[in-house]
Amino acid sequence: MPLKSSETAKVLIVDDSASARAMLRAIVESDPGLSVMAMCIDAFEAAKVMRDGLPDVILLDLELPGMDGMTFLKKIMAQKPLPVVICSGLTARGSDQSIAALEAGAVDVILKPSAGDERARAEAQVRICDALRAAAQTRGGRAGLLPGALRAPGPKLTADEILPPPNLSRPVPTTEPIVCIGASTGGTEALRQVLVALPPDAPAICIVQHMPAGFTAAFARRLDGLCKVKVSEAVDGASVGQGEVLIAPGDQHMVLRRLTGGYRVSVVQGPYVSRHRPSVDVLFRSAAGAAGANALGVILTGMGDDGARCLGEMKAAGCTTIAQDEASSVVYGMPREAVRMGSAGQTLPLDKMAAAIMNFARRHRAGVQA
């Protein structure tokens, strides 16, 4: 059943480190919409707790004694599917395992902060609470936002922090078509479904998926092995053309720049925008200015409103804009806000997105040739 507005989401923390459990408990309890149901040192203890009552969401480390977190996750999904958020350390093996965990059914993956780094902990607090609240919405239906505001490190900033609003009166030269996609919770699986359905001659694509630093590289490698298009993590100055997909690196913003007849990206540092880094709003604003009507903006599943406002800027600049529909969204947050603001020109189910991308590219190229 969806959570009622008066309820808090009960979180089960599973981590074998006492210091990590204490830190995660403090982070969870800082959010009035969340509460700690129990803390367990391994999968066996967690299974015992769950026999007496189920949590709304599980915060799970993958490195556990006895039964590892991946095995426990697969057992949960096979026996009693529940929202699971992976909390992992940043290692090459850990990032690959985390991507595999998303494919196995985890809702999201977050980076475990260092207990001694207060700045990292403050930023992680937002990311962890956001992920847990979003995951709790996926259980048995899509409830409204849980009560209480997220405690962000500082004010909620806009894309103005990274680049100025686009000059909509300035004409944009016709170029090859380009697609910009933004996604958050549930987005890894949504992006996989869209990208594997695209042919090798798909238009250039730039993606912001909310994901920690280090994990985006593993995500890009995984997609590259599954797709006909070439998928890679973006680096500063990289060009993107037909049949190529760039994914913004975790913890950095990605800005689209116009080249003669094509595009490249800048990877830039900066504050969190709409509580995220990378931010969809930053990518979408840059596309409105650099690409204009040459661009298609797509906003997929995710909690919050990142991307919704600047998708409207893309629409005002002549871009085609699409939001994922509620029925196919894991969390109908970002797409809902885009629809509410009038930023989305149309709403489509996920299984129609690849066709819409190719139809946009064909129409654009036909118009160029005419």
Side-chain angles (χ1 to χ4, degrees):
M1 294 291 293
L3 292 171
K4 298 178 181 179
S5 61
S6 60
E7 295 178 329
T8 60
K10 300 188 296 292
V11 181
L12 174 61
I13 298 172
V14 187
D15 195 303
D16 65 328
S17 166
S19 60
R21 290 195 304 274
M23 175 182 59
L24 293 172
R25 178 170 197 147
I27 288 174
V28 171
E29 291 181 340
S30 73
D31 191 304
L34 303 171
S35 62
V36 175
M37 172 184 170
M39 298 193 298
C40 301
I41 63 172
D42 58 29
F44 303 105
E45 185 178 349
K48 290 180 183 178
V49 168
M50 291 166 64
R51 281 198 286 269
D52 296 328
L54 295 176
D56 295 305
V57 58
I58 300 172
L59 187 59
L60 178 65
D61 186 17
L62 292 176
E63 300 292 333
L64 296 174
M67 182 189 299
D68 63 84
M70 181 68 75
T71 301
F72 185 46
L73 171 67
K74 290 178 178 178
K75 286 183 178 292
I76 293 170
M77 294 304 156
Q79 297 174 14
K80 183 64 177 178
L82 290 168
V84 176
V85 172
I86 301 299
C87 187
S88 178
L90 180 55
T91 63
R93 180 170 178 268
S95 59
D96 286 333
Q97 276 193 323
S98 296
I99 301 305
L102 290 168
E103 294 175 348
V107 175
D108 205 348
V109 55
I110 53 180
L111 180 64
K112 186 186 297 184
S114 171
D117 188 336
E118 287 302 317
R119 179 179 176 276
R121 184 187 179 282
E123 292 182 344
Q125 177 176 321
V126 176
R127 180 81 178 103
I128 290 171
C129 293
D130 200 354
L132 292 172
R133 289 159 64 97
Q137 292 184 69
T138 69
R139 184 181 180 188
R142 296 174 176 85
L145 292 178
L146 294 171
L150 291 175
R151 298 184 181 179
K156 183 178 179 182
L157 304 176
T158 71
D160 292 347
E161 298 295 319
I162 307 299
L163 68 170
N167 181 355
L168 301 181
S169 65
R170 184 178 63 190
V172 177
T174 300
T175 66
E176 278 290 295
I178 186 161
V179 179
C180 294
I181 303 176
S184 189
T185 308
T188 52
E189 177 61 18
L191 289 168
R192 185 193 66 80
Q193 290 185 43
V194 172
L195 296 183
V196 297
L198 293 174
D201 63 345
I205 299 176
C206 292
I207 294 172
V208 165
Q209 163 68 47
H210 295 156
M211 190 175 281
F215 294 89
T216 43
F219 181 48
R221 287 195 303 270
R222 177 60 176 157
L223 288 176
D224 190 55
L226 296 172
C227 300
K228 300 180 182 70
V229 291
K230 176 179 174 55
V231 184
S232 58
E233 184 184 51
V235 295
D236 188 50
S239 61
V240 57
Q242 187 177 45
E244 296 176 336
V245 178
L246 292 182
I247 297 177
D251 206 36
Q252 297 182 83
H253 296 297
M254 183 166 69
V255 175
L256 188 69
R257 311 286 190 189
R258 188 171 62 251
L259 295 172
T260 303
Y263 298 91
R264 65 176 178 87
V265 297
S266 295
V267 173
V268 300
Q269 295 291 334
Y272 278 50
V273 170
S274 300
R275 295 200 181 96
H276 293 284
R277 188 175 60 221
S279 164
V280 182
D281 268 328
V282 171
L283 174 63
F284 282 178
R285 170 169 286 187
S286 67
N294 301 293
L296 164 65
V298 179
I299 193 163
L300 300 179
T301 175
M303 182 175 174
D305 62 2
D306 186 29
R309 183 172 293 100
C310 290
L311 187 70
E313 294 182 354
M314 291 186 70
K315 185 179 179 183
C319 306
T320 302
T321 57
I322 303 174
Q324 185 176 351
D325 71 353
E326 182 174 8
S328 64
S329 294
V330 172
V331 177
Y332 191 57
M334 288 159 50
R336 176 184 57 205
E337 287 303 301
V339 171
R340 184 186 67 80
M341 293 180 184
S343 302
Q346 60 180 316
T347 300
L348 291 176
L350 187 64
D351 61 5
K352 302 294 185 185
M353 289 295 181
I357 289 171
M358 294 310 299
N359 287 338
F360 163 77
R362 282 191 287 269
R363 290 195 306 270
H364 183 77
R365 288 169 179 152
V368 171
Q369 295 169 0

